[in-house]
Amino acid sequence: MSARLEKLASEALGELSGASSIDAVLQLKTRYLGRKGEVTALLKELGSLSPEERKKAGEAINTVKASLEEAFDEKAAALEAGGRAARLQKERIDITLPGRSVRPGRMHPVTQVMEEIEEIFSGLGFDVAEGPEVELDYYNFEALNLPKDHPARDMQDTFYVSDEVLLRTHTSPVQIRVMEKERPPLRVIAPGTVYRRDSDITHTPMFHQVEGFMVDKGVTFSNLKGVLTHFLHSLFGDKTDIRFRTSFFPFTEPSAEVDIRCVICGGSGCRVCKGSGWIEILGAGMIRPEVFKFVKYDPEEFTGFAFGIGIERIAMLKYGMDDIRMLFENDLRFLRQF
Ligand code: FA5
């Protein structure tokens, strides 16, 4: 019995030293020490021995069993520690390597210009209002003194959704929506997206405007000139040449278009200003009594001015671009410059 026990122990230890995984160790442990294991089988044979021999053999088997158990457990613990160390080594991160830089997003030049415009007018005490882009014919045209058959409707080529619904062609309908709800004194700007069937180097089918209007007792055309001159000088610098040109809008009288000296060519004439040296950036005028009647204001009591600024034109001039369509091509190499 003792010779068999010795052989068994040395076989078990030999195999254990060759085991390279925790699974292999556990399999060996079961094979030698499990309920049907080889050491357990020896214990079962004890019954056939004399009481004397049984005691001696029992002790010897239990000693071997305990030392094998310890050897298996130690080996399993060592393999586990080794595995963890190897894993840590493999997953090691070299924190001295330079990180991959993340390019921060930035605002589109149109948004930047919009925000700058909002800031200038907030400084003059103007509130900000918004209106829907899918608009009723009534607000976009009719209440602005443009009945259905009015020839001036052709000035703005319109995308219609149905007879009564369209994509707004300008931000002027917000004037009506605000005046319907509120009474003067009013100082409001309304920035937003507008749509027209239009496309060339200074026109896109979708573009942005900022509407502005002021209504109170005694508002005059000089107030309009003062506000717009302050605005354009804040945006382009005090030295910028500005000119007011008479114009026509069905909802204002007198009406003007405001041009600034072409910043692309400095006024000598180029393809952006079509050789004229000036670029039109906004339309403006004194709100007509007919419009006030739609919103139930008494034109004898109140007067007001309104204007509509083309944002893309301003962005082009500020950043010296010569084709408006580049703003909407979503070319990141171009947009990252601003
Ligand atoms: C209007 O839209 C009037 N609602 C402006 C107004 C408001 C006048 C209040 C009086 C009182 P107009 O169609 O001229 O006006 O457009 C105003 C500005 O929008 C133009 O000066 C121009 O800068 C810009 N604009 C017009 N069409 C386009 C287009 N297709 N693409 C880019 N900008 C445009």
mmCIF file of all heavy atoms in Angstrom, residues 246-279:
data_model
loop_
_atom_site.group_PDB
_atom_site.id
_atom_site.type_symbol
_atom_site.label_atom_id
_atom_site.label_comp_id
_atom_site.label_asym_id
_atom_site.label_seq_id
_atom_site.Cartn_x
_atom_site.Cartn_y
_atom_site.Cartn_z
ATOM 1 N N THR A 246 -34.190 104.328 -53.414
ATOM 2 C CA THR A 246 -35.646 104.171 -53.381
ATOM 3 C C THR A 246 -36.027 102.834 -54.021
ATOM 4 O O THR A 246 -35.376 102.382 -54.963
ATOM 5 C CB THR A 246 -36.381 105.293 -54.149
ATOM 6 O OG1 THR A 246 -35.765 105.411 -55.417
ATOM 7 C CG2 THR A 246 -36.324 106.598 -53.399
ATOM 8 N N SER A 247 -37.067 102.249 -53.491
ATOM 9 C CA SER A 247 -37.483 100.939 -54.001
ATOM 10 C C SER A 247 -38.982 100.781 -53.789
ATOM 11 O O SER A 247 -39.668 101.732 -53.374
ATOM 12 C CB SER A 247 -36.706 99.858 -53.263
ATOM 13 O OG SER A 247 -37.024 98.606 -53.797
ATOM 14 N N PHE A 248 -39.464 99.583 -54.060
ATOM 15 C CA PHE A 248 -40.890 99.340 -53.851
ATOM 16 C C PHE A 248 -41.112 98.014 -53.130
ATOM 17 O O PHE A 248 -40.543 96.983 -53.485
ATOM 18 C CB PHE A 248 -41.618 99.280 -55.206
ATOM 19 C CG PHE A 248 -43.027 98.776 -55.066
ATOM 20 C CD1 PHE A 248 -44.042 99.623 -54.618
ATOM 21 C CD2 PHE A 248 -43.345 97.444 -55.326
ATOM 22 C CE1 PHE A 248 -45.341 99.154 -54.438
ATOM 23 C CE2 PHE A 248 -44.646 96.962 -55.157
ATOM 24 C CZ PHE A 248 -45.636 97.829 -54.716
ATOM 25 N N PHE A 249 -41.903 98.055 -52.063
ATOM 26 C CA PHE A 249 -42.458 96.847 -51.437
ATOM 27 C C PHE A 249 -43.932 97.151 -51.181
ATOM 28 O O PHE A 249 -44.250 98.255 -50.728
ATOM 29 C CB PHE A 249 -41.757 96.514 -50.114
ATOM 30 C CG PHE A 249 -40.302 96.173 -50.277
ATOM 31 C CD1 PHE A 249 -39.317 97.118 -49.976
ATOM 32 C CD2 PHE A 249 -39.902 94.936 -50.756
ATOM 33 C CE1 PHE A 249 -37.976 96.821 -50.142
ATOM 34 C CE2 PHE A 249 -38.554 94.636 -50.935
ATOM 35 C CZ PHE A 249 -37.592 95.581 -50.622
ATOM 36 N N PRO A 250 -44.817 96.197 -51.435
ATOM 37 C CA PRO A 250 -46.243 96.495 -51.284
ATOM 38 C C PRO A 250 -46.633 96.803 -49.834
ATOM 39 O O PRO A 250 -47.678 97.403 -49.601
ATOM 40 C CB PRO A 250 -46.925 95.195 -51.740
ATOM 41 C CG PRO A 250 -45.886 94.439 -52.473
ATOM 42 C CD PRO A 250 -44.569 94.843 -51.926
ATOM 43 N N PHE A 251 -45.786 96.378 -48.887
ATOM 44 C CA PHE A 251 -46.167 96.563 -47.476
ATOM 45 C C PHE A 251 -45.505 97.769 -46.835
ATOM 46 O O PHE A 251 -45.712 98.038 -45.653
ATOM 47 C CB PHE A 251 -45.872 95.289 -46.666
ATOM 48 C CG PHE A 251 -44.685 94.498 -47.182
ATOM 49 C CD1 PHE A 251 -43.421 94.667 -46.643
ATOM 50 C CD2 PHE A 251 -44.850 93.600 -48.230
ATOM 51 C CE1 PHE A 251 -42.335 93.962 -47.136
ATOM 52 C CE2 PHE A 251 -43.758 92.886 -48.733
ATOM 53 C CZ PHE A 251 -42.506 93.066 -48.195
ATOM 54 N N THR A 252 -44.662 98.508 -47.592
ATOM 55 C CA THR A 252 -44.036 99.714 -47.032
ATOM 56 C C THR A 252 -44.134 100.879 -48.010
ATOM 57 O O THR A 252 -44.164 100.685 -49.218
ATOM 58 C CB THR A 252 -42.545 99.462 -46.697
ATOM 59 O OG1 THR A 252 -41.907 98.899 -47.835
ATOM 60 C CG2 THR A 252 -42.367 98.563 -45.488
ATOM 61 N N GLU A 253 -44.175 102.081 -47.478
ATOM 62 C CA GLU A 253 -44.193 103.295 -48.315
ATOM 63 C C GLU A 253 -43.795 104.485 -47.462
ATOM 64 O O GLU A 253 -44.464 104.715 -46.436
ATOM 65 C CB GLU A 253 -45.596 103.498 -48.906
ATOM 66 C CG GLU A 253 -45.711 104.679 -49.837
ATOM 67 C CD GLU A 253 -44.821 104.566 -51.081
ATOM 68 O OE1 GLU A 253 -44.658 103.442 -51.590
ATOM 69 O OE2 GLU A 253 -44.275 105.592 -51.501
ATOM 70 N N PRO A 254 -42.764 105.234 -47.734
ATOM 71 C CA PRO A 254 -41.783 104.969 -48.779
ATOM 72 C C PRO A 254 -40.958 103.726 -48.477
ATOM 73 O O PRO A 254 -40.859 103.314 -47.327
ATOM 74 C CB PRO A 254 -40.907 106.226 -48.757
ATOM 75 C CG PRO A 254 -41.030 106.765 -47.377
ATOM 76 C CD PRO A 254 -42.421 106.430 -46.918
ATOM 77 N N SER A 255 -40.365 103.159 -49.547
ATOM 78 C CA SER A 255 -39.535 101.955 -49.392
ATOM 79 C C SER A 255 -38.128 102.239 -49.882
ATOM 80 O O SER A 255 -37.929 103.127 -50.717
ATOM 81 C CB SER A 255 -40.095 100.804 -50.220
ATOM 82 O OG SER A 255 -41.422 100.523 -49.851
ATOM 83 N N ALA A 256 -37.187 101.473 -49.348
ATOM 84 C CA ALA A 256 -35.796 101.647 -49.781
ATOM 85 C C ALA A 256 -35.105 100.298 -49.819
ATOM 86 O O ALA A 256 -35.502 99.369 -49.116
ATOM 87 C CB ALA A 256 -35.062 102.563 -48.804
ATOM 88 N N GLU A 257 -34.088 100.220 -50.646
ATOM 89 C CA GLU A 257 -33.167 99.093 -50.544
ATOM 90 C C GLU A 257 -31.848 99.681 -50.087
ATOM 91 O O GLU A 257 -31.510 100.811 -50.452
ATOM 92 C CB GLU A 257 -33.032 98.366 -51.872
ATOM 93 C CG GLU A 257 -34.151 97.344 -52.028
ATOM 94 C CD GLU A 257 -34.187 96.675 -53.375
ATOM 95 O OE1 GLU A 257 -34.042 97.387 -54.386
ATOM 96 O OE2 GLU A 257 -34.370 95.463 -53.412
ATOM 97 N N VAL A 258 -31.157 98.935 -49.253
ATOM 98 C CA VAL A 258 -29.904 99.462 -48.721
ATOM 99 C C VAL A 258 -28.764 98.629 -49.278
ATOM 100 O O VAL A 258 -28.805 97.402 -49.249
ATOM 101 C CB VAL A 258 -29.907 99.441 -47.169
ATOM 102 C CG1 VAL A 258 -28.612 100.034 -46.630
ATOM 103 C CG2 VAL A 258 -31.102 100.217 -46.643
ATOM 104 N N ASP A 259 -27.766 99.331 -49.812
ATOM 105 C CA ASP A 259 -26.590 98.667 -50.399
ATOM 106 C C ASP A 259 -25.367 99.045 -49.576
ATOM 107 O O ASP A 259 -25.320 100.117 -48.980
ATOM 108 C CB ASP A 259 -26.329 99.170 -51.825
ATOM 109 C CG ASP A 259 -27.524 99.002 -52.747
ATOM 110 O OD1 ASP A 259 -28.358 98.124 -52.475
ATOM 111 O OD2 ASP A 259 -27.614 99.757 -53.740
ATOM 112 N N ILE A 260 -24.386 98.162 -49.566
ATOM 113 C CA ILE A 260 -23.089 98.589 -49.041
ATOM 114 C C ILE A 260 -22.066 98.432 -50.158
ATOM 115 O O ILE A 260 -22.253 97.644 -51.095
ATOM 116 C CB ILE A 260 -22.643 97.830 -47.767
ATOM 117 C CG1 ILE A 260 -22.276 96.396 -48.064
ATOM 118 C CG2 ILE A 260 -23.689 97.905 -46.673
ATOM 119 C CD1 ILE A 260 -21.475 95.776 -46.926
ATOM 120 N N ARG A 261 -20.991 99.212 -50.030
ATOM 121 C CA ARG A 261 -19.917 99.165 -51.031
ATOM 122 C C ARG A 261 -19.394 97.722 -51.100
ATOM 123 O O ARG A 261 -19.185 97.085 -50.069
ATOM 124 C CB ARG A 261 -18.801 100.096 -50.564
ATOM 125 C CG ARG A 261 -17.660 100.190 -51.514
ATOM 126 C CD ARG A 261 -17.888 101.122 -52.673
ATOM 127 N NE ARG A 261 -17.858 102.522 -52.255
ATOM 128 C CZ ARG A 261 -18.178 103.544 -53.058
ATOM 129 N NH1 ARG A 261 -18.596 103.320 -54.280
ATOM 130 N NH2 ARG A 261 -18.098 104.766 -52.603
ATOM 131 N N CYS A 262 -19.222 97.216 -52.317
ATOM 132 C CA CYS A 262 -18.801 95.817 -52.481
ATOM 133 C C CYS A 262 -17.435 95.586 -51.821
ATOM 134 O O CYS A 262 -16.453 96.231 -52.186
ATOM 135 C CB CYS A 262 -18.741 95.456 -53.966
ATOM 136 S SG CYS A 262 -18.212 93.755 -54.225
ATOM 137 N N VAL A 263 -17.419 94.691 -50.849
ATOM 138 C CA VAL A 263 -16.149 94.466 -50.145
ATOM 139 C C VAL A 263 -15.245 93.481 -50.889
ATOM 140 O O VAL A 263 -14.088 93.301 -50.541
ATOM 141 C CB VAL A 263 -16.360 93.954 -48.691
ATOM 142 C CG1 VAL A 263 -17.036 94.993 -47.849
ATOM 143 C CG2 VAL A 263 -17.126 92.650 -48.688
ATOM 144 N N ILE A 264 -15.794 92.847 -51.929
ATOM 145 C CA ILE A 264 -14.964 91.916 -52.699
ATOM 146 C C ILE A 264 -14.005 92.733 -53.587
ATOM 147 O O ILE A 264 -12.816 92.471 -53.644
ATOM 148 C CB ILE A 264 -15.837 90.982 -53.580
ATOM 149 C CG1 ILE A 264 -16.908 90.277 -52.741
ATOM 150 C CG2 ILE A 264 -14.992 90.006 -54.387
ATOM 151 C CD1 ILE A 264 -16.442 89.167 -51.843
ATOM 152 N N CYS A 265 -14.556 93.767 -54.282
ATOM 153 C CA CYS A 265 -13.721 94.523 -55.235
ATOM 154 C C CYS A 265 -13.443 95.936 -54.739
ATOM 155 O O CYS A 265 -12.742 96.695 -55.400
ATOM 156 C CB CYS A 265 -14.408 94.563 -56.589
ATOM 157 S SG CYS A 265 -15.988 95.439 -56.551
ATOM 158 N N GLY A 266 -14.000 96.305 -53.595
ATOM 159 C CA GLY A 266 -13.785 97.660 -53.061
ATOM 160 C C GLY A 266 -14.539 98.716 -53.860
ATOM 161 O O GLY A 266 -14.312 99.921 -53.690
ATOM 162 N N GLY A 267 -15.440 98.295 -54.737
ATOM 163 C CA GLY A 267 -16.265 99.262 -55.466
ATOM 164 C C GLY A 267 -15.893 99.403 -56.934
ATOM 165 O O GLY A 267 -16.585 100.074 -57.698
ATOM 166 N N SER A 268 -14.808 98.736 -57.347
ATOM 167 C CA SER A 268 -14.393 98.919 -58.740
ATOM 168 C C SER A 268 -15.238 98.087 -59.714
ATOM 169 O O SER A 268 -15.210 98.316 -60.928
ATOM 170 C CB SER A 268 -12.901 98.573 -58.890
ATOM 171 O OG SER A 268 -12.693 97.246 -58.469
ATOM 172 N N GLY A 269 -15.999 97.137 -59.174
ATOM 173 C CA GLY A 269 -16.852 96.324 -60.045
ATOM 174 C C GLY A 269 -16.296 94.911 -60.211
ATOM 175 O O GLY A 269 -15.139 94.753 -60.580
ATOM 176 N N CYS A 270 -17.124 93.894 -59.873
ATOM 177 C CA CYS A 270 -16.689 92.496 -60.026
ATOM 178 C C CYS A 270 -17.918 91.643 -60.306
ATOM 179 O O CYS A 270 -19.022 92.172 -60.408
ATOM 180 C CB CYS A 270 -15.965 92.022 -58.750
ATOM 181 S SG CYS A 270 -17.032 91.927 -57.294
ATOM 182 N N ARG A 271 -17.725 90.298 -60.387
ATOM 183 C CA ARG A 271 -18.898 89.486 -60.767
ATOM 184 C C ARG A 271 -19.907 89.427 -59.629
ATOM 185 O O ARG A 271 -21.092 89.245 -59.851
ATOM 186 C CB ARG A 271 -18.485 88.098 -61.256
ATOM 187 C CG ARG A 271 -17.976 87.145 -60.205
ATOM 188 C CD ARG A 271 -17.725 85.778 -60.834
ATOM 189 N NE ARG A 271 -17.527 84.787 -59.772
ATOM 190 C CZ ARG A 271 -17.962 83.543 -59.815
ATOM 191 N NH1 ARG A 271 -18.646 83.125 -60.850
ATOM 192 N NH2 ARG A 271 -17.722 82.709 -58.827
ATOM 193 N N VAL A 272 -19.454 89.603 -58.375
ATOM 194 C CA VAL A 272 -20.400 89.543 -57.247
ATOM 195 C C VAL A 272 -21.333 90.757 -57.253
ATOM 196 O O VAL A 272 -22.547 90.629 -57.086
ATOM 197 C CB VAL A 272 -19.647 89.429 -55.896
ATOM 198 C CG1 VAL A 272 -20.627 89.496 -54.740
ATOM 199 C CG2 VAL A 272 -18.861 88.129 -55.847
ATOM 200 N N CYS A 273 -20.766 91.958 -57.478
ATOM 201 C CA CYS A 273 -21.629 93.160 -57.488
ATOM 202 C C CYS A 273 -22.122 93.464 -58.902
ATOM 203 O O CYS A 273 -22.704 94.509 -59.153
ATOM 204 C CB CYS A 273 -20.908 94.352 -56.865
ATOM 205 S SG CYS A 273 -19.406 94.831 -57.744
ATOM 206 N N LYS A 274 -21.889 92.515 -59.788
ATOM 207 C CA LYS A 274 -22.302 92.636 -61.197
ATOM 208 C C LYS A 274 -21.803 93.959 -61.800
ATOM 209 O O LYS A 274 -22.520 94.649 -62.524
ATOM 210 C CB LYS A 274 -23.817 92.506 -61.330
ATOM 211 C CG LYS A 274 -24.308 91.141 -60.818
ATOM 212 C CD LYS A 274 -25.717 90.810 -61.275
ATOM 213 C CE LYS A 274 -26.107 89.417 -60.868
ATOM 214 N NZ LYS A 274 -26.740 89.320 -59.547
ATOM 215 N N GLY A 275 -20.584 94.346 -61.412
ATOM 216 C CA GLY A 275 -19.952 95.528 -62.004
ATOM 217 C C GLY A 275 -20.398 96.861 -61.410
ATOM 218 O O GLY A 275 -19.870 97.909 -61.776
ATOM 219 N N SER A 276 -21.375 96.834 -60.481
ATOM 220 C CA SER A 276 -21.927 98.108 -59.998
ATOM 221 C C SER A 276 -21.116 98.709 -58.846
ATOM 222 O O SER A 276 -21.247 99.889 -58.525
ATOM 223 C CB SER A 276 -23.369 97.914 -59.526
ATOM 224 O OG SER A 276 -23.357 97.190 -58.290
ATOM 225 N N GLY A 277 -20.308 97.889 -58.161
ATOM 226 C CA GLY A 277 -19.554 98.389 -57.006
ATOM 227 C C GLY A 277 -20.362 98.382 -55.716
ATOM 228 O O GLY A 277 -19.839 98.698 -54.650
ATOM 229 N N TRP A 278 -21.656 98.005 -55.791
ATOM 230 C CA TRP A 278 -22.511 97.996 -54.592
ATOM 231 C C TRP A 278 -23.218 96.654 -54.485
ATOM 232 O O TRP A 278 -23.494 96.021 -55.497
ATOM 233 C CB TRP A 278 -23.588 99.093 -54.680
ATOM 234 C CG TRP A 278 -23.032 100.485 -54.664
ATOM 235 C CD1 TRP A 278 -22.647 101.219 -55.752
ATOM 236 C CD2 TRP A 278 -22.783 101.288 -53.514
ATOM 237 N NE1 TRP A 278 -22.180 102.432 -55.345
ATOM 238 C CE2 TRP A 278 -22.254 102.512 -53.974
ATOM 239 C CE3 TRP A 278 -22.949 101.105 -52.133
ATOM 240 C CZ2 TRP A 278 -21.892 103.548 -53.112
ATOM 241 C CZ3 TRP A 278 -22.598 102.142 -51.278
ATOM 242 C CH2 TRP A 278 -22.066 103.350 -51.768
ATOM 243 N N ILE A 279 -23.518 96.243 -53.251
ATOM 244 C CA ILE A 279 -24.305 95.011 -53.069
ATOM 245 C C ILE A 279 -25.506 95.305 -52.187
ATOM 246 O O ILE A 279 -25.386 95.899 -51.114
ATOM 247 C CB ILE A 279 -23.456 93.899 -52.434
ATOM 248 C CG1 ILE A 279 -22.348 93.511 -53.402
ATOM 249 C CG2 ILE A 279 -24.315 92.685 -52.107
ATOM 250 C CD1 ILE A 279 -21.573 92.302 -52.978
#
